[in-house]
Amino acid sequence: MDISKPNSESISLKRYGITHNDIKYQLSPSSLHRITLDKNMGTEASSGALAVNTGEFTGRSPDDRFIVKDSITSDKIWWGGINMPFEPSAFDKLYDKVIAYLNHKELYVRDCYACSDANYRMDIRVITEYPWSNQFVYNMFIRPTEEELKNFEPEWTVINAPGFRAIAEEDGTRQHNFAILNFSRKIALIGGTGYTGEIKKGIFSALNFILPVYKNTLPMHCSANVGKKGDTAIFFGLSGTGKTTLSTDATRKLIGDDEHGWNNENAVFNFEGGCYAKVIDLSQESEPEIYGAIKKGAILENVVMNDKGEVNFSDVSITQNTRVSYPLYHIENVQRPSIGHNPKNIFFLTADAFGVLPPISKLTPSQAAYHFISGYTAKVAGTEAGVVEPIPSFSACFGAPFMPLHPAKYAEMLSRKMTEAGVNVWLVNTGWTGGSYGVGTRMKLKYTRAMIHAVLNGDLGLYTYDAYHIHSVFGVAQPRQCPGVPTSVLSPRATWNNDEAYYKTAFKLTNAFRENFKKFESHASEEIRRGGPQRYAF
Ligand code: ATP
Ligand code: MN
């Protein structure tokens, strides 16, 4: 064994090819915070949180993500634009270059794990070039106890070298930055980018392969929480649709905000030990729990502060994707351990910038499968010359960039589990109402919360005849009433006050759905295809 421990400041990394001894092992978050300040790599906000800039990259770079194509992966991965192959020999060479680069640096090493259910636990060692990246790892992965650390044998290793720059022609990358998964060597190799989300989503992507292939468990890009009666709810959705916001709910215990597994023992378990929340326009009033979690220990990314260290959450001059990471224990109301029983309700969140989907609707099993494979949300285009046009964005399983297998594989597992568990599935539009982006407004968070609470409290007339209207275009069941929400808000058409414009826009969206679904048609049963919209423009 070449590892001395525990809490030794100088473990050896010889097995990785790192020969020097300037290694800071398992430092406390407050030490990492202090070192970051001492090195002028960050500042302290008035809340006590550490604030850093992640550098050139303030978001993930999906075009620079690769998977090593080898005997484990070659015939299982859904290769293509999302999962791009990387040669094993090229990986080995690049690995050696990154190690040679790191061999001149002081390094931060953390042992931690993913998956709160012991049967699925993945022990991970993360080696980072920067102290704050290591503190991010402390926040986001599960923290082993002193006892667990004694016999800790890492299975996977993440190597994070933001200052390393690849040379595309020599190294086989697209450009200077990269995030590469190697399932044979069990390494996630990240270089040229300091964006911390690459570390988190690297391990997530590895689990999204390992769990379904070897452990018959469904990995999900979703948040989860649980009510007083032990009723679990999960929330799928693409970035910015509200997973973190809506799962952080004073009346329910948080299980996790982004990555979960659903196993065959009727449980949903969190992969992570922390949350990674968007902070754009954050306010204490509408999101008190997240606001309160921003204190010593939390790390703010790419926010702008005044000279008193007060954050201006509406300042997006660095990026729209301003973030904060914090350990789960920064939230008062959390489920421990982060495991819940089979969900009773599943929410598909979509930020429909066309403003045509109902704010909440109930899906049939066919519709649930169809919408899961489609993974719809909308992006808002630039506002050049005042022209604003929403762009539909489809991402299979509400997380295609992290899903190494064909979407049908995850969809089949989800359909089966939903049927077995008898869950209700709801499509929630957290996006626009009263018109498309530019004309309408974003759905009020308090209304979305009220709709979700109504579902969870059983107040949405589940079994009452005539409680729902079947939407003529999307075919989904739109409730006529919902406690805490003005009735007019429940019908998107009514909020538009212009039927012709409403239907024209709705057809634009259904056409986009149809176009996107073409690539899945050969894999989809008649049953699933029936779950799509009912009407299209011709
Ligand atoms: P990611 O996958 O990137 O972590 P996410 O799904 O967790 O994304 P959130 O971080 O919850 O997304 O972001 C939702 C954003 O939208 C928040 O800034 C929230 O304040 C805002 N928002 C505005 N209106 C609503 C609404 N009606 N429902 C949910 N979120 C809303
Ligand atoms: Mn989130």
Side-chain angles (χ1 to χ4, degrees):
M1 248 348 278
D2 60 357
I3 308 169
S4 55
K5 50 171 71 150
N7 76 42
S8 151
E9 293 265 319
S10 62
I11 63 157
S12 162
L13 296 180
K14 285 206 181 68
R15 68 157 93 168
Y16 305 99
I18 293 166
T19 49
H20 71 71
N21 285 324
D22 200 0
I23 292 156
K24 306 283 187 278
Y25 177 66
Q26 217 71 2
L27 294 192
S28 67
S30 57
S31 307
L32 292 163
H33 177 112
R34 183 178 35 76
I35 294 170
T36 303
L37 298 180
D38 289 349
K39 289 184 184 291
N40 277 322
M41 296 176 94
T43 49
E44 194 174 280
S46 58
S47 59
L50 179 66
V52 299
N53 286 340
T54 58
E56 181 188 354
F57 292 93
T58 57
R60 285 178 307 99
S61 184
D63 294 340
D64 299 295
R65 171 190 175 273
F66 303 91
I67 297 177
V68 173
K69 190 168 187 175
D70 56 21
S71 59
I72 294 178
T73 57
S74 86
D75 60 356
K76 292 197 180 68
I77 300 279
W78 189 43
W79 300 108
I82 290 168
N83 298 302
M84 293 176 289
F86 205 79
E87 282 296 319
S89 58
F91 179 90
D92 294 347
K93 266 198 215 141
L94 184 55
Y95 176 89
D96 290 346
K97 275 175 87 168
V98 173
I99 293 296
Y101 167 83
L102 291 177
N103 217 1
H104 299 286
K105 311 266 179 209
E106 180 180 69
L107 295 175
Y108 303 86
V109 179
R110 179 164 300 283
D111 288 341
C112 53
Y113 65 93
C115 298
S116 51
D117 183 328
N119 294 328
Y120 303 87
R121 175 173 157 168
M122 179 201 263
D123 286 346
I124 305 165
R125 170 164 296 168
V126 188
I127 302 172
T128 66
E129 179 182 356
Y130 298 158
W132 50 266
S133 320
N134 205 269
Q135 194 182 336
F136 174 85
V137 172
Y138 172 89
N139 284 352
M140 293 307 298
F141 289 99
I142 304 179
R143 295 157 288 276
T145 60
E146 285 288 323
E147 203 50 38
E148 287 169 330
L149 221 46
K150 278 185 190 144
N151 302 307
F152 195 93
E153 189 48 49
E155 188 191 353
W156 270 73
T157 303
V158 181
I159 295 177
N160 181 250
F164 176 88
R165 292 175 72 87
I167 302 165
E169 309 81 65
E170 285 174 23
D171 297 323
T173 54
R174 187 183 69 103
Q175 53 177 36
H176 60 281
N177 63 302
F178 53 87
I180 312 173
L181 284 181
N182 186 327
F183 285 89
S184 294
R185 294 184 63 177
K186 300 188 176 178
I187 294 170
L189 188 65
I190 300 163
T193 169
Y195 185 62
T196 51
E198 299 280 9
I199 304 176
K200 153 189 161 67
K201 287 297 200 302
I203 288 297
F204 184 45
S205 301
L207 285 164
N208 289 339
F209 179 82
I210 294 164
L211 294 180
V213 170
Y214 303 115
K215 307 215 162 167
N216 202 13
T217 285
L218 174 68
M220 305 177 291
H221 185 217
C222 70
S223 60
N225 64 20
V226 55
K228 292 203 172 69
K229 295 177 185 144
D231 54 310
T232 305
I234 61 181
F235 304 80
F236 285 94
L238 292 165
S239 187
T241 58
K243 292 183 300 302
T244 300
T245 304
L246 297 169
S247 60
T248 311
D249 179 328
T251 67
R252 299 173 61 83
K253 287 188 171 169
L254 179 66
I255 298 177
D257 92 322
D258 200 52
E259 310 170 1
H260 295 81
W262 189 353
N263 67 22
N264 279 337
E265 290 94 55
N266 304 319
V268 166
F269 61 92
N270 191 358
F271 294 168
E272 303 183 283
C275 301
Y276 193 39
K278 281 179 178 289
V279 294
I280 181 173
D281 295 331
L282 183 74
S283 80
Q284 180 167 23
E285 192 200 356
S286 63
E287 297 179 60
E289 292 80 16
I290 294 175
Y291 192 92
I294 305 177
K295 55 185 182 185
K296 181 91 194 271
I299 308 175
L300 289 157
E301 295 180 5
N302 305 314
V303 296
V304 177
M305 299 184 298
N306 64 16
D307 51 13
K308 291 189 203 128
E310 292 157 350
V311 178
N312 178 355
F313 289 111
S314 58
D315 191 326
V316 293
S317 55
I318 300 177
T319 176
Q320 298 255 336
N321 188 32
T322 52
R323 293 270 178 175
V324 63
S325 70
Y326 49 85
L328 272 165
Y329 60 75
H330 277 206
I331 298 281
E332 246 167 63
N333 211 10
V334 293
Q335 170 87 339
R336 292 201 176 85
S338 310
I339 303 177
H341 195 256
N342 270 354
K344 282 220 161 74
N345 288 287
I346 295 182
F347 298 92
F348 291 166
L349 308 176
T350 177
D352 174 28
F354 290 97
V356 292
L357 282 172
I360 189 158
S361 55
K362 189 167 186 298
L363 304 185
T364 64
S366 305
Q367 289 168 345
Y370 178 92
H371 281 277
F372 184 69
I373 291 176
S374 299
Y376 165 69
T377 192
K379 295 205 166 81
V380 176
T383 53
E384 245 170 78
V387 182
V388 285
E389 175 80 343
I391 303 166
S393 161
F394 294 93
S395 180
C397 313
F398 296 104
F402 329 115
M403 300 296 170
L405 307 178
H406 191 282
K409 171 81 188 164
Y410 305 102
E412 276 159 26
M413 289 180 89
L414 182 66
S415 286
R416 183 167 43 76
K417 299 192 82 63
M418 287 192 313
T419 314
E420 282 166 14
V423 290
N424 293 307
V425 183
W426 308 84
L427 184 64
V428 177
N429 175 9
T430 64
W432 273 255
T433 179
S436 297
Y437 175 84
V439 176
T441 52
R442 185 104 191 237
M443 184 64 57
K444 283 201 172 89
L445 182 53
K446 75 169 184 197
Y447 291 160
T448 302
R449 285 200 200 277
M451 292 177 226
I452 284 170
H453 286 154
V455 167
L456 296 173
N457 299 335
D459 291 340
L460 219 46
L462 258 185
Y463 306 107
T464 323
Y465 176 74
D466 209 31
Y468 292 87
H469 160 75
I470 303 300
H471 195 283
S472 63
V473 177
F474 296 103
V476 297
Q478 182 180 301
R480 294 184 197 277
Q481 307 266 323
C482 176
V485 183
T487 305
S488 58
V489 172
L490 296 172
S491 161
R493 184 182 60 80
T495 67
W496 276 55
N497 246 326
N498 181 342
D499 282 9
E500 195 187 330
Y502 174 78
Y503 284 113
K504 215 172 139 197
T505 309
F507 289 140
K508 218 186 252 179
L509 181 58
T510 56
N511 278 11
F513 264 99
R514 180 167 59 182
E515 200 50 43
N516 171 69
F517 204 76
K518 279 183 182 154
K519 56 181 176 287
F520 303 114
E521 239 148 34
S522 58
H523 275 83
S525 62
E526 170 57 28
E527 164 86 5
I528 295 177
R529 276 182 274 156
R530 245 191 297 129
Q534 303 302 298
R535 284 164 63 194
Y536 301 91
F538 292 97

